[in-house]
Amino acid sequence: ISGLIAVFAMVVQPMYGLVANASAPIAITNSAELCSAIKNQADGQVWQLAPGAYPIGPSNCTNIPVVDGNTNLYVPITADNLTITGIGNPTVYGSGFTTNGDGGFDGDFISITGDNVSIKNLTVMTKVYPNKVIEVRGSNSIIENVSIKPNTLGAADIDPSYYPAWSAEVAGSIYYHNATGTHSLKNTTITNGAVSLRSASATFDLEGLKLN
């Protein structure tokens, strides 16, 4: 799987530069509302996901914006100072199938190009064919209290003639690609996956990171 490499040893650094969100939280209770939030995202928003499962894919979330020439994206996050947080540990997962993106985001489920983006208190499952469950390209991100797991909920969308048998057992990677600033990956568990780094100038806080 592209990007699955060993976790690099990094010095724990405090977080700086994160800007507080000023807008009132946006309550999200189903996939349609989450899809609408993705399409209409703006700087400074806070998305609060109620308990439950949130499939996102071509069957229920179409016309996702093109980002830097990349098409077929699932969850692109381009806004700055945006927070996605769960209440009662909701699960967000990829459903349906598209080919990988046409550019550098090949295989992503969540693609982050915005700065100061936070993802907290969620379970996240990748696309039905795992690669990069979260790719971070912005500066100063927080991923906290997040569980990354293989996609069991989208199993019905797997085409056995296309996917190898092991694909349903792999979570994929969290990938930092040319990300800058300071990044927190705290109290996060990755089951059958890894962390991949291509960000020489960034610093990281990996407190409580577990690879199962």
Side-chain angles (χ1 to χ4, degrees):
I1 297 174
S2 171
L4 287 185
I5 61 177
V7 178
F8 286 71
M10 292 167 281
V11 177
V12 173
Q13 298 285 345
M15 294 296 294
Y16 297 105
L18 293 179
V19 178
N21 291 281
S23 62
I26 298 172
I28 297 174
T29 62
N30 55 53
S31 292
E33 292 174 351
L34 178 56
C35 182
S36 177
I38 295 167
K39 294 178 182 179
N40 297 293
Q41 63 188 273
D43 295 351
Q45 290 180 339
V46 177
W47 304 351
Q48 288 187 342
L49 277 64
Y54 295 80
I56 292 293
S59 61
N60 68 348
C61 192
T62 58
N63 300 317
I64 291 296
V66 174
V67 180
D68 295 334
N70 294 265
T71 61
N72 297 326
L73 299 179
Y74 279 54
V75 186
I77 302 298
T78 60
D80 296 332
N81 307 312
L82 188 146
T83 296
I84 304 171
T85 187
I87 300 171
N89 193 34
T91 297
V92 180
Y93 69 98
S95 65
F97 170 77
T98 63
T99 58
N100 285 333
D102 296 331
F105 294 106
D106 286 0
D108 287 5
F109 178 50
I110 299 175
S111 307
I112 299 174
T113 57
D115 298 331
N116 307 317
V117 172
S118 299
I119 299 177
K120 300 180 178 181
N121 309 321
L122 299 174
T123 293
V124 181
M125 297 178 179
T126 187
K127 293 168 62 175
V128 292
Y129 186 60
N131 191 328
K132 293 170 286 185
V133 62
I134 301 174
E135 178 169 354
V136 180
R137 295 197 178 194
S139 64
N140 303 324
S141 69
I142 294 176
I143 299 173
E144 186 172 346
N145 297 325
V146 172
S147 178
I148 306 295
K149 295 182 177 181
N151 190 341
T152 55
L153 298 178
D157 297 313
I158 293 177
D159 179 353
S161 66
Y162 183 88
Y163 298 101
W166 51 258
S167 66
E169 302 174 0
V170 177
S173 65
I174 298 177
Y175 180 40
Y176 294 90
H177 180 83
N178 293 334
T180 59
T182 307
H183 300 269
S184 176
L185 184 56
K186 295 179 65 176
N187 299 325
T188 290
T189 300
I190 306 175
T191 302
N192 293 343
V195 174
S196 177
L197 173 68
R198 190 179 177 183
S199 299
S201 64
T203 56
F204 293 81
D205 179 353
L206 302 181
E207 180 183 352
L209 172 66
K210 296 180 181 179
L211 301 179
N212 291 341

